[in-house]
């Protein structure tokens, strides 16, 4: 069975006409769902009741199913969605989306700044970073454009969005066509522009250079994780053999072409890449470049042999960089008690 979000404008209009509606009803349907966030046919009172009743039977709004929601004490909610893998409705792929409310909710009607939403671009991930739960099972398949858009819509349904990060499961640059189609809808129909959307990637230089030339619809974050070539070849296996310097040069080109600075993400793995030697070499690589570093203390995953840095290490690492003129922030993870470490909920669901 298809879904409303999966149908392009013409196909949706055909579908509506076959069920006794007018072609222009298709536009109203899409506007209700994507622009206005009305996710229930009953509530679409600008459409004839008979058409709404037919559609409620024949056309689910989303292709995905919401299988579980886990909520952490700080209000972070993780949605476990599943999509059909093939033809059988029971054979399904799990994907996660995380809704992170602002740090300090205001008294009263909630915070006007809105939440951050983290969406996934693929089911599983082909890159295979040894510290990441998403890579453990490899790639299952690319998400379709409407499956990516569905995450934005379900996320917004939990509360207004201030910012979106494509930092969930998967490597966005390996599913670029679907991602861009989804982001077009996010910008043009949901009204969230490029400055509010950050895409995180391991940074394929050729793709980044091409993208930078095409007025990209997002801000860029590149997962660097180490200044050392050999270590990066190990920590980011799909990038093995790609010189770290080429990745940084693609980041420079991105800034020169788009005018937007790149953020380098650096997962701090205790005792692995958080030593003073790393801080020094990273500084040498980045000093003088227009960019920032986002340090991410590792969220331990039970199956994997990596640890959080010891308390105080992230700050010391940050101070070292800052002291030498490299802009650095720390991203403390949210919602740990809700199993919100990257990829974990999906592994639980897969019975691992
Ligand atoms: N595949 C893309 C985007 C998804 S991962 C990428 O790797 O950039 C988003 C970020 O989360 C990456 O920087 C990744 O290295 C980091 N990450 C993955 N597993 C993590 C964990 N267990 N704890 C902390 N950060 C993690
Ligand atoms: Fe894939 Fe990113 Fe996880 Fe690496 S860190 S396996 S690229 S999702």
């Amino acid at each position: 069975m298809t879904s409303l979000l999966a149908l392009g404008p013409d196909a949706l209009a055909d579908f509506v006409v076959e069920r006794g509606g007018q072609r222009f009803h298709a536009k109203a349907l899409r506007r209700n769902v994507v622009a206005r966030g009305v996710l229930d046919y009953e509530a679409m009172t600008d459409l004839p009741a008979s058409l709404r009743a037919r559609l409620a039977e024949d056309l689910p709004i989303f292709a995905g199913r919401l299988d579980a929601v886990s909520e952490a004490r700080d209000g972070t909610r993780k949605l476990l969605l599943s999509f059909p893998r093939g033809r059988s409705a029971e054979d399904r792929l799990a994907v996660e989306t995380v809704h992170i409310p602002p740090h300090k909710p205001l008294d009263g009607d909630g915070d006007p700044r809105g939440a951050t939403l983290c969406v996934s671009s693929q089911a599983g991930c082909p890159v295979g970073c040894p510290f990441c739960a998403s890579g453990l099972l490899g790639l299952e398949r690319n998400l379709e454009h409407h499956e990516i858009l569905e995450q934005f819509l379900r996320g917004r349904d939990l509360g207004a969005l201030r910012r979106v990060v494509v930092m969930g499961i998967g490597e966005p640059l390996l599913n670029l066509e679907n991602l861009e189609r989804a982001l077009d809808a996010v910008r043009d129909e949901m009204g969230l522009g490029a400055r509010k959307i950050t895409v995180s990637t391991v940074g394929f230089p050729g793709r980044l250079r091409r993208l930078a030339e095409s007025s990209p619809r997002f801000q860029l974050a590149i997962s660097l994780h180490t200044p050392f070539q050999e270590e990066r070849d190990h920590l980011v296996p799909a990038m093995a053999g790609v010189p770290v310097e080429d990745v940084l040069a693609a980041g420079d080109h991105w800034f020169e072409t788009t005018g937007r600075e790149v953020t380098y993400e650096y997962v701090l793995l205790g005792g692995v890449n958080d030593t003073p030697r790393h801080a020094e070499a990273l500084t040498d690589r980045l000093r003088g470049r227009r960019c920032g570093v986002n340090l991410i203390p590792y969220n331990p995953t039970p199956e994997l042999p990596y640890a959080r840095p010891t308390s105080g290490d992230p700050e010391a690492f940050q101070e070292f960089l800052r002291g030498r003129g490299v802009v650095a922030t720390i991203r403390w993870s949210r919602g740990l008690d809700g199993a919100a470490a990257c990829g974990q909920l999906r592994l639980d669901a897969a019975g691992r």
Side-chain angles (χ1 to χ4, degrees):
M1 194 190 263
T2 186
S3 66
L4 185 151
L5 226 50
L7 294 177
D10 287 341
L12 184 57
D14 292 345
F15 196 97
V16 164
V17 169
E18 279 161 23
R19 280 150 191 84
Q22 307 284 331
R23 292 192 82 78
F24 68 84
H25 288 144
K27 266 196 180 154
L29 275 168
R30 174 94 185 178
R31 191 169 54 239
N32 273 315
V33 171
V34 185
R36 298 170 55 198
V38 182
L39 303 183
D40 177 6
Y41 287 117
E42 271 291 293
M44 300 183 193
T45 46
D46 53 342
L47 293 164
S50 55
L51 178 63
R52 282 186 273 145
R54 285 294 299 273
L55 293 174
E57 287 202 350
D58 292 355
L59 189 66
I61 291 178
F62 296 136
R65 187 171 75 195
L66 180 60
D67 287 337
V69 180
S70 65
E71 179 159 356
R73 276 194 297 273
D74 67 2
T76 297
R77 275 176 287 179
K78 189 158 190 164
L79 307 185
L80 182 67
L81 302 175
S82 68
F83 296 102
R85 185 192 305 269
R87 287 178 173 275
S88 152
E90 284 322 301
D91 184 16
R92 303 184 77 80
L93 298 165
V95 164
E96 61 195 30
T97 306
V98 186
H99 186 271
I100 307 157
H103 261 302
K104 290 187 203 109
L106 297 176
D107 293 338
D109 295 335
D111 193 321
R113 289 178 309 165
T116 300
L117 189 75
C118 177
V119 309
S120 298
S121 54
Q122 297 181 307
C125 182
V127 176
C129 306
F131 55 85
C132 173
S134 304
L136 277 183
L137 305 175
L139 176 68
E140 296 187 273
R141 74 158 161 79
N142 280 333
L143 293 182
E144 298 289 336
H145 64 94
H146 62 88
E147 294 169 332
I148 299 173
L149 181 59
E150 173 174 341
Q151 297 174 65
F152 285 88
L153 296 177
R154 288 190 186 268
R156 184 183 57 185
D157 200 41
L158 299 178
L161 304 179
R162 173 175 60 112
R163 236 188 112 211
V164 175
V165 294
V166 183
M167 293 188 185
I169 299 166
E171 167 47 49
L173 291 201
L174 296 180
N175 187 19
L176 197 54
E177 238 174 81
N178 283 305
L179 179 72
E180 294 200 305
R181 188 158 165 199
L183 293 185
D184 281 348
V186 169
R187 180 189 56 194
D188 300 338
E189 299 175 64
M190 289 178 74
L192 272 176
R195 292 193 179 268
K196 295 187 172 165
I197 298 176
T198 301
V199 170
S200 169
T201 169
V202 294
F204 302 95
R207 283 170 199 251
L208 285 182
R209 282 175 181 278
R210 278 198 304 278
L211 255 173
E213 308 284 349
S214 69
S215 58
R217 304 137 170 93
F218 50 79
Q219 309 268 86
L220 180 65
I222 299 179
S223 291
L224 192 64
H225 305 325
T226 173
F228 299 122
Q229 186 63 45
E230 213 175 301
E231 191 172 45
R232 190 162 198 266
D233 290 349
H234 170 69
L235 289 179
V236 190
M239 297 291 283
V242 177
V244 169
E245 210 45 47
D246 288 4
V247 175
L248 298 175
D252 294 343
H253 173 259
W254 181 278
F255 171 66
E256 286 151 17
T257 317
T258 67
R260 296 185 221 139
E261 277 184 22
V262 173
T263 302
Y264 290 101
E265 295 172 281
Y266 195 108
V267 174
L268 287 168
L269 304 162
V272 176
N273 65 352
D274 63 345
T275 71
R277 197 170 62 89
H278 284 85
E280 201 173 325
L282 184 63
T283 308
D284 290 344
R285 293 262 197 201
L286 298 185
R287 201 170 16 209
R289 295 191 131 107
R290 283 284 298 269
C291 63
V293 177
N294 195 207
L295 301 167
I296 317 169
Y298 183 60
N299 268 334
T301 301
E303 295 83 359
L304 300 174
Y306 291 94
R308 217 169 238 296
T310 3
S311 127
D313 288 355
E315 287 93 343
F317 203 95
Q318 179 189 33
E319 277 316 306
F320 187 96
L321 297 181
R322 284 187 168 173
R324 284 156 186 78
V326 176
V327 176
T329 52
I330 302 179
R331 188 198 307 160
W332 296 104
S333 62
R334 302 281 307 276
L336 269 183
D337 58 332
C342 302
Q344 278 183 5
L345 191 69
R346 197 180 66 96
L347 281 180
D348 292 348
R352 295 287 180 119

